[in-house]
Amino acid sequence: MNVLVIGSGGREHALVWKITQSPLVKKVYCAPGNPGIGQIAENVPIKVDDLPGLLAFAQKEDIGLTVVGPELPLSLGIVDLFEEYGLRIFGARRNAALIEASKAFSKDIMKKYRVPTAFYEVFSEVEPAIAYIEKHGAPIVVKADGLAAGKGVIVAQTKDEAIAAVREMLSGNAFGDAGSRVVIEEFLRGEEASFLAITDGKNIIPLASAQDHKAVFDGDKGPNTGGMGAYSPAPVVTPAIHEKAMTEVMRRTIDGMAAEGRPYRGVLYAGLMIDGDSVKTLEFNARFGDPECQPLLMRMKSDIVPLMLAVADGDISGMSLEWHDQAAVCVVMAAKGYPGDYPKGDIISGLDLAATMPHLMVFHAGTAAAGTSFATNGGRVLGVTAVGDTVKDAIDRAYAGVSAISWDGVHFRRDIGSKAIDRAG
């Protein structure tokens, strides 16, 4: 069977890496892919939002399964289009992907179906939003309603910061159409975790727990990014928290979406805030998290392709996933200036050395070919991911890989996984 993976980041590199291991798969294509992906699959120069082009390619190359990585093609309706032409595709339909494409819709679903979350209001005009901030004070969270590549969330520590965020989103057009409405919600205290599950709209198979690191600097300081690293499993997700996440978050959301006439198929990502035995939902994503996908797939023992095919066919009953007991850690190496403006074209050294290290994978996220070398071509450039018998082993291996690789201005967090170490005592 031929498989097409859509996307070009570290998540897609990890998906291609995992899918190529399946005995069911003959050839993997990736559109548009990146040079790292090109080492193990065939890249196809079709953009993720070129739905007619992707459809024509899938038909021409007899693609037996298409796997959608990023949120944009899901929000544009690629799953609906492929299904209309009888093609198997793994991902959420357009009316279900709205759970990520609109934070206001997502919050309304949570409120209606009693999914625990922060108190909130939705605004499309500046003055009422400012009045709400003045009334409730800070810290407070301001979110762009639409898709903003993981960066449309401002955790404001002061009222002035929150008001500036509102003005920038609603008047200053900081996130384009994504910021034409804002969600303002209470600030939640606790520790974040990522909880992902694969579902056919009825049955739910949870993935292993993971924890992302959104802030750009050590100690969770600085502005939010698309994610600076992740590890799995996350000790903060105890068996009791796992049960709550399944029953109060995933079950209620999947059942609620079905009741709304928006059956949800694919992978559903819940960002959770955990405080003691309290679990509240920060957000939903309609796809694998990036960088959580990288350590999760390195820990996944099962072949993922049969499960993806079953989701595309609408029935995963009786299926399950097996996991390696090992831990996995991904450290994101970013370009100078990220998450703000950053240069491109810096030559990356040390990839050959990292490739010789056992238990380590370097997933490309924002790279370009530069002769026989690779150069930076994005904000998050590489996801250096390692497995180990313990989280500490995996951390040590991942940072050994990081230390082998360099380019001008590279930066990364040095504390990925430290919360798991602290928890272990």
Side-chain angles (χ1 to χ4, degrees):
M1 176 178 62
N2 296 333
V3 174
L4 171 64
V5 176
I6 296 172
S8 61
R11 164 185 50 222
E12 288 76 32
H13 192 174
L15 284 166
V16 168
W17 172 80
K18 182 67 178 172
I19 289 165
T20 55
Q21 297 168 32
S22 173
L24 299 175
V25 173
K26 183 172 70 176
K27 183 163 185 177
V28 180
Y29 299 92
C30 191
N34 65 45
I37 293 171
Q39 295 179 316
I40 56 172
E42 183 175 329
N43 289 332
V44 184
I46 306 174
K47 293 181 178 178
V48 300
D49 58 355
D50 180 3
L51 272 54
L54 292 164
L55 174 65
F57 178 83
Q59 290 173 319
K60 175 173 169 282
E61 296 299 334
D62 190 27
I63 299 297
L65 173 68
T66 298
V67 177
V68 187
E71 59 274 24
L72 180 57
L74 295 171
S75 70
L76 294 174
I78 189 168
V79 173
D80 311 62
L81 178 66
F82 274 49
E83 287 183 343
E84 185 184 331
Y85 284 87
L87 297 174
R88 289 160 120 184
I89 183 166
F90 177 86
R93 292 174 184 146
R94 183 175 188 168
N95 68 354
L98 197 62
I99 203 162
E100 175 171 11
S102 168
K103 289 186 172 63
F105 170 81
S106 175
K107 295 291 287 191
D108 290 347
I109 284 287
M110 288 189 251
K111 184 177 182 179
K112 183 173 181 179
Y113 293 100
R114 300 181 303 109
V115 176
T117 190
F119 295 115
Y120 72 101
E121 290 287 344
V122 180
F123 300 92
S124 54
E125 295 179 2
V126 173
E127 294 310 318
I130 290 174
Y132 185 85
I133 292 165
E134 293 285 6
K135 177 183 174 184
H136 289 277
I140 198 164
V141 180
V142 182
K143 297 179 175 180
D145 175 49
L147 298 177
K151 298 175 199 165
V153 178
I154 307 296
V155 182
Q157 298 301 324
T158 66
K159 287 196 290 185
D160 286 348
E161 191 183 346
I163 289 166
V166 163
R167 289 192 189 281
E168 200 178 359
M169 288 183 193
L170 291 179
S171 303
N173 222 21
F175 296 102
D177 290 344
S180 60
R181 287 197 302 176
V182 297
V183 176
I184 304 178
E185 63 182 40
E186 71 171 314
F187 173 77
L188 297 177
R189 300 186 188 279
E191 190 172 333
E192 285 189 46
S194 304
F195 196 94
L196 290 81
I198 289 175
T199 176
D200 58 10
K202 304 179 292 292
N203 304 288
I204 306 171
I205 297 174
L207 303 189
S209 60
Q211 188 170 73
D212 186 15
H213 299 66
K214 287 286 187 201
V216 68
F217 300 127
D218 288 8
D220 295 330
K221 300 287 194 289
N224 270 355
T225 68
M228 292 299 292
Y231 64 91
S232 173
V236 69
V237 182
T238 62
I241 294 295
H242 181 281
E243 181 63 24
K244 273 196 171 185
M246 280 294 286
T247 56
E248 297 180 13
V249 179
M250 289 298 181
R251 183 80 269 164
R252 289 177 188 175
T253 302
I254 296 300
D255 289 350
M257 291 291 281
E260 293 290 311
R262 301 171 181 267
Y264 191 99
R265 287 186 190 174
V267 60
L268 182 64
Y269 167 124
L272 304 178
M273 182 65 82
I274 299 164
D275 187 12
D277 61 358
S278 165
V279 177
K280 290 194 175 177
T281 311
L282 296 167
E283 64 175 353
F284 283 113
N285 291 332
R287 32 78 190 185
F288 287 100
D290 187 348
E292 295 96 330
C293 184
Q294 289 86 306
L296 283 173
L297 291 185
M298 284 193 73
R299 287 193 62 219
M300 189 182 289
K301 199 173 187 178
S302 304
D303 182 351
I304 198 171
V305 173
L307 185 57
M308 288 177 158
L309 287 168
V311 169
D313 292 339
D315 186 7
I316 62 170
S317 55
M319 300 188 78
S320 62
L321 285 171
E322 281 189 78
W323 300 88
H324 292 292
D325 290 336
Q326 294 170 302
V329 172
C330 173
V331 179
V332 169
M333 301 182 73
K336 181 180 181 180
Y338 177 80
D341 293 335
Y342 50 83
K344 295 181 180 180
D346 288 312
I347 299 298
I348 303 167
S349 64
L351 286 170
D352 289 345
L353 175 58
T356 67
M357 295 181 171
H359 315 293
L360 184 86
M361 276 295 301
V362 179
F363 294 112
H364 290 228
T367 63
T372 57
S373 303
F374 296 95
T376 64
N377 193 43
R380 294 188 295 170
V381 179
L382 301 170
V384 182
T385 309
V387 292
D389 290 336
T390 65
V391 173
K392 185 177 185 313
D393 290 339
I395 290 170
D396 290 346
R397 285 172 175 166
Y399 280 104
V402 168
S403 67
I405 301 166
S406 64
W407 66 85
D408 185 38
V410 60
H411 71 97
F412 52 89
R413 283 184 55 161
R414 298 173 187 275
D415 62 348
I416 304 300
S418 62
K419 288 176 186 170
I421 300 289
D422 294 344
R423 233 165 228 288

